[in-house]
Amino acid sequence: KVSWSVTGAFGPFKPREFVTMVHYTKKTKALVVVNRPATHASKPVKSKYQRGEILLAGNIMEPVEGQPSQTRFTMITHVNPGGVVDNPLCAKIMNRLSASAPIEFVQKLEVAADCRSM
């Protein structure tokens, strides 16, 4: 499927939007999600966002043996954020800010999962 997503602003940088082709597959006990960049007529660039590219992303979710309430979550993402971030100083700032984003994502995912199990 084609997916559109947007981030919040990172410090002084505009929010980033991404359009990706998403593929889901089940491998043994794991769920694997792969994202590649895409363009789609229904997802034009919007001026209030900077269009970035998720060059390649993969998420693997698998149960932790003997721990039925736990999931091992592996996240690998290669992103070109685009815009003014394409220089050494801004890239350094963006890298520092983006180091916490995966942790925040997983924490929000956990809260959402807890809400659904009630």
Side-chain angles (χ1 to χ4, degrees), residues 3-7 16-22 33-38 51-59 76-82:
S3 175
W4 178 85
S5 62
V6 66
T7 69
R16 268 36 191 179
E17 66 171 350
F18 301 92
V19 178
T20 59
M21 178 68 71
V22 184
V33 182
V34 178
N35 295 276
R36 298 277 302 158
R51 177 64 58 96
E53 269 189 304
I54 295 178
L55 301 169
L56 179 62
N59 299 306
I76 301 167
T77 308
H78 184 192
V79 176
N80 174 3

Side-chain angles (χ1 to χ4, degrees), residues 14-83:
K14 285 173 83 170
R16 268 36 191 179
E17 66 171 350
F18 301 92
V19 178
T20 59
M21 178 68 71
V22 184
H23 175 74
Y24 302 87
T25 189
K26 182 93 169 161
K27 297 286 184 184
T28 347
K29 295 181 181 180
L31 174 63
V32 179
V33 182
V34 178
N35 295 276
R36 298 277 302 158
T39 56
H40 198 276
S42 70
K43 307 294 181 198
V45 175
K46 297 180 177 138
S47 63
K48 65 181 181 176
Y49 303 116
Q50 175 64 51
R51 177 64 58 96
E53 269 189 304
I54 295 178
L55 301 169
L56 179 62
N59 299 306
I60 303 168
M61 292 147 276
E62 53 193 333
V64 175
E65 251 183 77
Q67 303 291 326
S69 65
Q70 294 184 10
T71 301
R72 178 176 294 110
F73 189 92
T74 304
M75 175 188 276
I76 301 167
T77 308
H78 184 192
V79 176
N80 174 3

Side-chain angles (χ1 to χ4, degrees), residues 56-116:
L56 179 62
N59 299 306
I60 303 168
M61 292 147 276
E62 53 193 333
V64 175
E65 251 183 77
Q67 303 291 326
S69 65
Q70 294 184 10
T71 301
R72 178 176 294 110
F73 189 92
T74 304
M75 175 188 276
I76 301 167
T77 308
H78 184 192
V79 176
N80 174 3
V84 298
V85 180
D86 257 349
N87 70 62
L89 176 61
C90 290
K92 186 175 181 177
I93 293 168
M94 195 69 154
N95 283 339
R96 182 165 294 175
L97 292 169
S98 65
S100 61
I103 295 167
E104 291 173 14
F105 171 78
V106 171
Q107 288 170 337
K108 289 177 181 177
L109 186 63
E110 182 178 23
V111 169
D114 284 346
C115 289
R116 291 184 185 157

